Amino acid sequence: AQSVTQLDSQVPVFEEAPVELRCNYSSSVSVYLFWYVQYPNQGLQLLLKYLSGSTLVKGINGFEAEFNKSQTSFHLRKPSVHISDTAEYFCAVSAEGAQKLVFGQGTRLTINP
Amino acid sequence: DVKVTQSSRYLVKRTGEKVFLECVQDMDHENMFWYRQDPGLGLRLIYFSYDVKMKEKGDIPEGYSVSREKKERFSLILESASTNQTSMYLCASSPVFVAGLAYEQYFGPGTRLTVT
């Protein structure tokens, strides 16, 4: 069964600094990969997705992620964060043969002024 | 835009009550899901449905049941609410699976349920 590991449960950064949220997955077959964001007391919103093609995927709010098949990773990056990026971020994977997404435990991103 | 709505944002119920959480999506999606979210545990899948009147157990179905009588509506039922079911409940929908891979899910705003 596939699994997703988000290596950091909390990431504090200063405003305008770059950030990387790490995600590793375990699957030996084809995958789709997703990053979601959850603002306080809201549902999850899709940030970006990798289905096929270019390994560098751009999403909303200036975020991007890179699919690395050899390292089974899909890390999320933003070159300069804003206070409004404070939220919880979830990585998810869909592996061939599965009928559902598997979510990581989430990473809480805190932006300090 | 896909819209997934949940009947309540906040709900307070007593132990032993039967609780219904309703979810409606407006994009004609075949698949619908119920999750619960707890601090430190991430999202855990309770049940999902890939067609009307079809349902599959997720990772933590105990104490819950579901109903899908119409394509757009998926209900989660707590037969006899208990305090350990206090949680945030999230509903999601997605299009039909593509090439054997589950596609992205669209989430509702969540229902924060407190059982006292």
Side-chain angles (χ1 to χ4, degrees), chain A residues 19-37:
Chain A
V19 70
E20 178 180 82
L21 306 184
R22 297 179 293 170
C23 172
N24 286 88
Y25 66 93
S26 66
S27 177
S28 59
V29 296
S30 298
V31 294
Y32 288 166
L33 292 156
F34 308 87
W35 273 101
Y36 285 85
V37 60

Side-chain angles (χ1 to χ4, degrees), chain A residues 17-20 37 39 45-48 56-65 75-82 84-85 89 109:
Chain A
V19 70
E20 178 180 82
V37 60
Y39 300 106
Q45 178 184 357
L46 184 68
L47 261 183
L48 49 80
L56 184 62
V57 180
K58 293 191 184 297
I60 62 171
N61 302 340
F63 284 92
E64 63 181 31
H75 300 334
L76 181 71
R77 300 185 183 102
K78 187 170 182 178
S80 176
V81 295
H82 189 266
S84 59
D85 293 321
Y89 292 80
L109 177 63

